[in-house]
Structures are given as C-alpha cells and as structure tokens.
Amino acid sequence: MRLRSTRLGFDPQLVFCANHDRGEVEEIMIAAISLPRLMRIGAGASRELAPVLQQLGLKSPMIVTDKYLVSSGKVDALVEPLNAAAITARVFSDSGPDPTITSINAGLAFLRESEHDCVIGFGGGSPIDSSKAIAVLAVHGGKMPDYKTPHMQDTPGLPIIAIPTTAGTGSEATRFTIITDEVTDEKMLCPGTAYLPIAALVDFELTMTKPKRLTADTGIDSLTHAIEAYVSKRANPFSDSMALAAMRAIAPNLRRVMKDPGDRAAREALMIGATQAGIAFSNSSVALVHGMSRPIGAHFHVPHGLSNAMLLPAITAFSAPAALKRYAESARAMGIAPEAEGDQSSVARLLEELDSLNRDLDVPGPKAYGIDENKWMSLIPTMAKQAIASGSPANNPRVPTAEEIETLYKQVWRASA
Ligand SMILES: [Fe+2]
C-alpha cells in the first residue's frame, strides 16, 4: 500500500480520501470531522433555546430571520420563553431570500447597534447562512468577498445557533455559508469551521406547514447533498455513514409528504435526513451538481433545490461511470435497487428514479421555468467558469473540463426544451 497525505492541497483540514472503486492509491486514513457542540433533535426541540443558551453562557442573542416567520408568529414563540429566562434578544428580519453582500452589511449594522454575544439563524438556508456571515464579519471585519473560497475561515467569530425551519440545506450542521455578490452575480462559497454552528435545534414541527413547492425543492436539495457527499472524492467512512442514513431517510419520504403534508413521521424523517446530509457533505463535500447549480441560482434566481433538481439526472449520468459502485450503493440505500442486484442495473434504476422523482415533484426544466434561451446559452461560458472556481467540480468522481460543463448546461436545456 502506498500512502500519501492528501491530494487536496487547498484544504489543510482534510487528509483522507476514500479509495472508492476508482483503483486509486490508499490515502492516510484520518478524516477531519467537525460537528456542532450541542444538538437538540425532535418534536418541540426549538423550545429548548433558552436552556441551550444558558448551557453555553450566552445572554444577548441577535436573531436573524425573515418577515414570513415574524408574521406567522413563529418568531414570537421563539422569543417569549427567552424573556422569562432573562435573555434579551433582538430580531433582524431582513435576511431576504438569497443573502447578498448588501443584506449581510445591513445585518451587521443592526448587530452593532447593541451588544450581542451570539447570532441565532432561524429559518431556511438564507437566514442561517446570513447569521453565519454576520457572526464572522462581526469579529474579523473586512468584506464578504475576502472570505470566499479558497480562503478558509477557521478562527471563530461570534457563536452561531441554528434553528432550521425547512428540511433542506443542512446549514445547521455545516462549515459553509453561501453569500451572493450582487455585482458579479456570483454565489460565493465561504468555507471554514467559523461557520459551523455551536448549537443546532432540529425541530421537525417547524416544517409541518411548509408549502408544497418548498417541501419538494428543499427535499431534493438534501437528497443531492447526501448523494454528492457519498460519491465525492472527499468521502470518508464517517461521512459515508451519515450520507447513507440520509438517503434512507429522505428517499422514501419525499413522495409521502407531498401526498400528505401532515404526515408527521415523514416530516420527521426528512428533517433528520436533511441534518444528516448536512453533516455528510460538511465533512466530505458537495460536487458537480452544486458547482453547476449555484451559477443558475445567481443568474436566473432559481431556488437552490430546484436548480439542483434540474441538473441531478444529467450530472448523475455523466458521473456514474467513474464511481459505479458508489452510485449503485446510493440506489440501494434509497430503496430503489435490491441488495443483490448488480451495480450497472442498480445505477440504471437510479437514473430512472431521478427522472421520475422530478416528474412526480413537478420540477420544470430551465425552459419551462421561464428562462430565456439566448440568455442561458450566452451565460454558459461564465457559469462554467464560476462552477469551476467554486472548487466543487474538482470533488466530483468524474472531474469535468470547462468544455464538458458547457456541454452539460446545453444538454440540460435541450432535455427540457
Ligand atoms: Fe444544497
């Protein structure tokens, strides 16, 4: 066996890569794993905020959320028990649907109006990602673009507490934030353990009233996290266990919850699966789907899970020959291929299932979504460059050239035309 420390020179955290089925040399088997220090998981877990803050010695949080959660009364339900525990919280509700440099600066200005010892992200991926960026800038200063990959922000900012209200991004358990540079239309991936929440309260009851479209989009996002973490070149035995558990939880429950939004068991499985998928990719990585999805979101304002769903079947077909065994194991974990079936036919089932899932969840292609063909085609070279710059395609089992990424964007358009 030949050992080498890492082939991922830009990430000093990671000194292990799975051998997979690609016949590559063995790596030194040390995986650098980062997790939230405290987690509360289960029905009503968000009501544990006061004791969790007390356990951490935190007294004056800034809560980052959105206007819907304020108007629905969910923010009040979160804040009232804090008052009784002599914890003084201030609420910033302008995090917006996709955090931008401007919205983060507004949040930072709000934080500086008072004394805060932590930042709570309450909502979907956007408020949680906003809370992470604000917590880091509050301590370290500078501008958001300074923090985009390959910069690695490990030195902590303010403590972050994450309370997800969608079962999707897994941001409550990841060491990343994504902030859009609205000048260049780039979704900047900002990595480092400074973005990892110190505590996460994972309460599926917060997702019970989630609208159908959001349920589908966030569900496919979390399934994509699990599959990409499992096939990633950075996969390791720990991330594998989380990725497979996430696939087992998410895949059989997506259609169930679409049929019956009040199905508590299915909602719980999707919520736990989303957190497990977040842990999986935070300690492995995402790959080509996310690399190509972010530019679609930035240029055409397609919700993140939806742009993943548009890409997932085509990218899986492109990547599968390089990691057949891993994709076949994904199909088995998702319950769509029998254990005894061969890899090739299991992967064929996976490709069929991803197409059929998109049909069942009414996922439109880029054309049906209303994107202009000329704009799509003319932006392809830029989107390919931005995808590669994010670093995610380099983790894909089949690493694409810029030309191959451009061809894939064209293919995804034609498939929907
Ligand atoms: Fe994602």
Side-chain angles (χ1 to χ4, degrees):
M1 182 178 78
R2 230 164 12 112
L3 292 177
R4 76 185 171 195
S5 62
T6 176
R7 62 171 177 270
L8 302 164
F10 63 90
D11 185 354
Q13 285 206 8
L14 191 105
V15 288
F16 169 84
C17 293
N19 192 20
H20 291 184
D21 49 333
R22 293 185 290 273
E24 293 172 356
V25 292
E26 290 274 336
E27 306 285 344
I28 293 173
M29 294 182 66
I30 299 171
I33 304 299
S34 326
L35 299 165
R37 189 188 299 174
L38 302 176
M39 298 185 87
R40 296 283 186 276
I41 300 175
S46 59
R47 294 196 288 274
E48 301 260 304
L49 180 57
V52 165
L53 290 172
Q54 283 167 333
Q55 191 176 347
L56 294 166
L58 299 168
K59 294 186 178 69
S60 52
M62 166 181 170
I63 298 176
V64 180
T65 187
D66 60 35
K67 297 223 177 324
Y68 164 73
L69 288 165
V70 172
S71 65
S72 68
K74 287 192 167 114
V75 171
D76 281 345
L78 191 71
V79 171
E80 270 159 27
L82 300 185
N83 298 334
I87 294 169
T88 311
R90 290 171 73 238
V91 177
F92 175 76
S93 61
D94 287 329
S95 69
D98 265 319
T100 59
I101 294 173
T102 306
S103 74
I104 295 304
N105 286 341
L108 198 57
F110 182 93
L111 179 119
R112 289 182 172 145
E113 286 167 8
S114 187
E115 291 281 315
H116 290 290
D117 57 10
C118 63
V119 187
I120 297 173
F122 179 55
S126 297
I128 297 178
D129 278 4
S130 299
S131 71
K132 293 176 170 188
I134 292 164
V136 164
L137 287 176
V139 170
H140 299 286
K143 297 190 178 80
M144 211 59 231
D146 304 338
Y147 292 86
K148 74 177 178 182
T149 187
H151 176 84
M152 186 69 65
Q153 184 60 41
D154 286 332
T155 314
L158 288 175
I160 300 154
I161 293 94
I163 309 172
T165 59
T166 65
T169 65
S171 187
E172 67 276 11
T174 73
R175 55 183 184 93
F176 306 102
T177 190
I178 311 270
I179 306 298
T180 299
D181 182 335
E182 60 271 57
V183 176
T184 59
D185 270 349
E186 182 190 3
K187 282 201 172 193
M188 300 180 290
L189 173 68
C190 308
T193 43
Y195 303 108
L196 182 67
I198 191 169
L201 311 186
V202 182
D203 181 353
F204 76 86
E205 287 189 334
L206 296 170
T207 70
M208 294 302 296
T209 53
K210 208 167 53 152
K212 217 170 177 180
R213 184 71 262 153
L214 189 61
T215 299
D217 294 349
T218 52
I220 294 189
D221 185 29
S222 60
L223 183 63
T224 309
H225 293 153
I227 296 173
E228 292 211 281
Y230 194 65
V231 302
S232 166
K233 288 186 169 191
R234 298 182 175 207
N236 57 75
F238 177 84
S239 62
D240 286 351
S241 68
M242 286 288 119
L244 290 170
M247 286 184 238
R248 286 186 198 109
I250 298 161
N253 286 299
L254 257 174
R255 288 184 181 88
R256 240 177 92 172
V257 87
M258 294 301 281
K259 267 196 206 102
D260 176 10
D263 185 330
R264 286 175 64 87
R267 288 280 190 198
E268 181 169 25
L270 290 179
M271 192 66 162
I272 291 176
T275 300
Q276 288 170 323
I279 291 173
F281 87 81
S282 185
N283 291 292
S284 168
S285 79
V286 285
L288 184 56
V289 178
H290 272 76
M292 289 178 62
S293 173
R294 290 185 207 104
I296 296 176
H299 292 288
F300 300 103
H301 308 289
V302 178
H304 173 66
L306 199 53
S307 52
N308 282 346
M310 289 174 183
L311 295 165
L312 187 57
I315 305 306
T316 303
F318 170 82
S319 310
L324 207 61
K325 190 159 175 269
R326 289 248 147 190
Y327 281 103
E329 283 162 358
S330 301
R332 290 175 201 125
M334 288 166 63
I336 52 172
E339 287 298 324
E341 191 163 87
D343 290 349
Q344 196 80 49
S345 52
S346 299
V347 170
R349 283 184 197 267
L350 176 65
L351 295 173
E352 270 168 36
E353 166 65 5
L354 295 177
D355 272 330
S356 121
L357 195 59
N358 276 1
R359 276 194 303 276
D360 290 352
L361 301 187
D362 296 323
V363 171
K367 187 177 181 187
Y369 186 77
I371 292 173
D372 176 72
E373 181 171 4
N374 289 335
K375 193 175 175 197
W376 177 273
M377 292 299 170
S378 66
L379 276 170
I380 282 178
T382 308
M383 294 200 292
K385 270 191 207 99
Q386 290 176 335
I388 289 174
S390 75
S392 299
N395 299 322
N396 206 55
R398 179 177 172 191
V399 179
T401 62
E403 291 71 30
E404 283 172 325
I405 293 180
E406 292 186 14
T407 303
L408 284 165
Y409 277 126
K410 286 178 195 151
Q411 196 183 317
V412 167
W413 179 272
R414 279 191 214 108
S416 81

PDB file of all heavy atoms in Angstrom, residues 130-146:
ATOM      1  N   SER A 130     -27.052  33.736   6.552  1.00  0.00           N
ATOM      2  CA  SER A 130     -26.826  35.150   6.909  1.00  0.00           C
ATOM      3  C   SER A 130     -26.246  35.252   8.314  1.00  0.00           C
ATOM      4  O   SER A 130     -25.293  36.010   8.558  1.00  0.00           O
ATOM      5  CB  SER A 130     -28.141  35.935   6.869  1.00  0.00           C
ATOM      6  OG  SER A 130     -28.694  35.906   5.579  1.00  0.00           O
ATOM      7  N   SER A 131     -26.806  34.467   9.253  1.00  0.00           N
ATOM      8  CA  SER A 131     -26.321  34.545  10.639  1.00  0.00           C
ATOM      9  C   SER A 131     -24.841  34.161  10.709  1.00  0.00           C
ATOM     10  O   SER A 131     -24.066  34.750  11.470  1.00  0.00           O
ATOM     11  CB  SER A 131     -27.159  33.636  11.557  1.00  0.00           C
ATOM     12  OG  SER A 131     -26.899  32.268  11.309  1.00  0.00           O
ATOM     13  N   LYS A 132     -24.445  33.202   9.877  1.00  0.00           N
ATOM     14  CA  LYS A 132     -23.043  32.765   9.880  1.00  0.00           C
ATOM     15  C   LYS A 132     -22.108  33.882   9.386  1.00  0.00           C
ATOM     16  O   LYS A 132     -21.060  34.145   9.984  1.00  0.00           O
ATOM     17  CB  LYS A 132     -22.892  31.546   8.961  1.00  0.00           C
ATOM     18  CG  LYS A 132     -23.600  30.291   9.457  1.00  0.00           C
ATOM     19  CD  LYS A 132     -23.462  29.173   8.417  1.00  0.00           C
ATOM     20  CE  LYS A 132     -23.935  27.838   8.983  1.00  0.00           C
ATOM     21  NZ  LYS A 132     -23.632  26.724   8.058  1.00  0.00           N
ATOM     22  N   ALA A 133     -22.533  34.520   8.292  1.00  0.00           N
ATOM     23  CA  ALA A 133     -21.685  35.583   7.727  1.00  0.00           C
ATOM     24  C   ALA A 133     -21.578  36.753   8.705  1.00  0.00           C
ATOM     25  O   ALA A 133     -20.488  37.310   8.914  1.00  0.00           O
ATOM     26  CB  ALA A 133     -22.287  36.047   6.397  1.00  0.00           C
ATOM     27  N   ILE A 134     -22.714  37.115   9.323  1.00  0.00           N
ATOM     28  CA  ILE A 134     -22.722  38.247  10.270  1.00  0.00           C
ATOM     29  C   ILE A 134     -21.827  37.915  11.468  1.00  0.00           C
ATOM     30  O   ILE A 134     -21.035  38.760  11.926  1.00  0.00           O
ATOM     31  CB  ILE A 134     -24.175  38.557  10.718  1.00  0.00           C
ATOM     32  CG1 ILE A 134     -24.982  39.110   9.537  1.00  0.00           C
ATOM     33  CG2 ILE A 134     -24.195  39.538  11.889  1.00  0.00           C
ATOM     34  CD1 ILE A 134     -26.497  39.103   9.739  1.00  0.00           C
ATOM     35  N   ALA A 135     -21.917  36.666  11.959  1.00  0.00           N
ATOM     36  CA  ALA A 135     -21.123  36.271  13.133  1.00  0.00           C
ATOM     37  C   ALA A 135     -19.622  36.358  12.849  1.00  0.00           C
ATOM     38  O   ALA A 135     -18.827  36.719  13.725  1.00  0.00           O
ATOM     39  CB  ALA A 135     -21.499  34.848  13.548  1.00  0.00           C
ATOM     40  N   VAL A 136     -19.218  36.042  11.631  1.00  0.00           N
ATOM     41  CA  VAL A 136     -17.784  36.085  11.290  1.00  0.00           C
ATOM     42  C   VAL A 136     -17.331  37.529  11.054  1.00  0.00           C
ATOM     43  O   VAL A 136     -16.303  37.970  11.588  1.00  0.00           O
ATOM     44  CB  VAL A 136     -17.495  35.180  10.064  1.00  0.00           C
ATOM     45  CG1 VAL A 136     -16.133  35.502   9.454  1.00  0.00           C
ATOM     46  CG2 VAL A 136     -17.550  33.708  10.490  1.00  0.00           C
ATOM     47  N   LEU A 137     -18.101  38.292  10.272  1.00  0.00           N
ATOM     48  CA  LEU A 137     -17.703  39.683   9.985  1.00  0.00           C
ATOM     49  C   LEU A 137     -17.690  40.524  11.256  1.00  0.00           C
ATOM     50  O   LEU A 137     -16.871  41.440  11.396  1.00  0.00           O
ATOM     51  CB  LEU A 137     -18.654  40.313   8.958  1.00  0.00           C
ATOM     52  CG  LEU A 137     -18.504  39.815   7.509  1.00  0.00           C
ATOM     53  CD1 LEU A 137     -19.574  40.457   6.622  1.00  0.00           C
ATOM     54  CD2 LEU A 137     -17.130  40.106   6.945  1.00  0.00           C
ATOM     55  N   ALA A 138     -18.581  40.205  12.215  1.00  0.00           N
ATOM     56  CA  ALA A 138     -18.664  40.977  13.459  1.00  0.00           C
ATOM     57  C   ALA A 138     -17.337  40.940  14.213  1.00  0.00           C
ATOM     58  O   ALA A 138     -16.937  41.918  14.850  1.00  0.00           O
ATOM     59  CB  ALA A 138     -19.770  40.420  14.345  1.00  0.00           C
ATOM     60  N   VAL A 139     -16.640  39.819  14.120  1.00  0.00           N
ATOM     61  CA  VAL A 139     -15.392  39.673  14.878  1.00  0.00           C
ATOM     62  C   VAL A 139     -14.167  39.973  14.005  1.00  0.00           C
ATOM     63  O   VAL A 139     -13.200  40.594  14.456  1.00  0.00           O
ATOM     64  CB  VAL A 139     -15.292  38.244  15.461  1.00  0.00           C
ATOM     65  CG1 VAL A 139     -13.911  37.978  16.052  1.00  0.00           C
ATOM     66  CG2 VAL A 139     -16.378  38.046  16.528  1.00  0.00           C
ATOM     67  N   HIS A 140     -14.202  39.566  12.750  1.00  0.00           N
ATOM     68  CA  HIS A 140     -12.990  39.621  11.926  1.00  0.00           C
ATOM     69  C   HIS A 140     -12.953  40.768  10.926  1.00  0.00           C
ATOM     70  O   HIS A 140     -11.890  41.019  10.321  1.00  0.00           O
ATOM     71  CB  HIS A 140     -12.799  38.288  11.193  1.00  0.00           C
ATOM     72  CG  HIS A 140     -12.629  37.129  12.140  1.00  0.00           C
ATOM     73  ND1 HIS A 140     -11.469  36.929  12.855  1.00  0.00           N
ATOM     74  CD2 HIS A 140     -13.482  36.158  12.523  1.00  0.00           C
ATOM     75  CE1 HIS A 140     -11.616  35.859  13.625  1.00  0.00           C
ATOM     76  NE2 HIS A 140     -12.826  35.372  13.450  1.00  0.00           N
ATOM     77  N   GLY A 141     -14.109  41.469  10.724  1.00  0.00           N
ATOM     78  CA  GLY A 141     -14.112  42.630   9.829  1.00  0.00           C
ATOM     79  C   GLY A 141     -13.874  42.258   8.375  1.00  0.00           C
ATOM     80  O   GLY A 141     -13.986  41.099   7.979  1.00  0.00           O
ATOM     81  N   GLY A 142     -13.543  43.260   7.574  1.00  0.00           N
ATOM     82  CA  GLY A 142     -13.317  43.038   6.145  1.00  0.00           C
ATOM     83  C   GLY A 142     -14.617  42.957   5.378  1.00  0.00           C
ATOM     84  O   GLY A 142     -15.688  43.323   5.892  1.00  0.00           O
ATOM     85  N   LYS A 143     -14.510  42.494   4.128  1.00  0.00           N
ATOM     86  CA  LYS A 143     -15.697  42.408   3.264  1.00  0.00           C
ATOM     87  C   LYS A 143     -15.946  40.955   2.909  1.00  0.00           C
ATOM     88  O   LYS A 143     -15.006  40.148   2.869  1.00  0.00           O
ATOM     89  CB  LYS A 143     -15.455  43.200   1.974  1.00  0.00           C
ATOM     90  CG  LYS A 143     -15.257  44.681   2.207  1.00  0.00           C
ATOM     91  CD  LYS A 143     -15.264  45.422   0.866  1.00  0.00           C
ATOM     92  CE  LYS A 143     -15.118  46.916   1.046  1.00  0.00           C
ATOM     93  NZ  LYS A 143     -13.727  47.347   1.269  1.00  0.00           N
ATOM     94  N   MET A 144     -17.197  40.638   2.615  1.00  0.00           N
ATOM     95  CA  MET A 144     -17.577  39.243   2.362  1.00  0.00           C
ATOM     96  C   MET A 144     -16.734  38.570   1.271  1.00  0.00           C
ATOM     97  O   MET A 144     -16.324  37.418   1.432  1.00  0.00           O
ATOM     98  CB  MET A 144     -19.074  39.188   2.010  1.00  0.00           C
ATOM     99  CG  MET A 144     -19.751  37.903   2.447  1.00  0.00           C
ATOM    100  SD  MET A 144     -19.659  37.592   4.214  1.00  0.00           S
ATOM    101  CE  MET A 144     -19.045  35.935   4.253  1.00  0.00           C
ATOM    102  N   PRO A 145     -16.451  39.261   0.149  1.00  0.00           N
ATOM    103  CA  PRO A 145     -15.651  38.576  -0.887  1.00  0.00           C
ATOM    104  C   PRO A 145     -14.271  38.135  -0.382  1.00  0.00           C
ATOM    105  O   PRO A 145     -13.681  37.206  -0.941  1.00  0.00           O
ATOM    106  CB  PRO A 145     -15.526  39.627  -1.997  1.00  0.00           C
ATOM    107  CG  PRO A 145     -16.741  40.497  -1.826  1.00  0.00           C
ATOM    108  CD  PRO A 145     -16.980  40.562  -0.339  1.00  0.00           C
ATOM    109  N   ASP A 146     -13.765  38.771   0.696  1.00  0.00           N
ATOM    110  CA  ASP A 146     -12.467  38.342   1.247  1.00  0.00           C
ATOM    111  C   ASP A 146     -12.548  36.909   1.770  1.00  0.00           C
ATOM    112  O   ASP A 146     -11.519  36.259   1.974  1.00  0.00           O
ATOM    113  CB  ASP A 146     -12.043  39.225   2.444  1.00  0.00           C
ATOM    114  CG  ASP A 146     -11.986  40.698   2.085  1.00  0.00           C
ATOM    115  OD1 ASP A 146     -11.853  40.998   0.876  1.00  0.00           O
ATOM    116  OD2 ASP A 146     -12.077  41.544   3.003  1.00  0.00           O
TER     117      ASP A 146
END
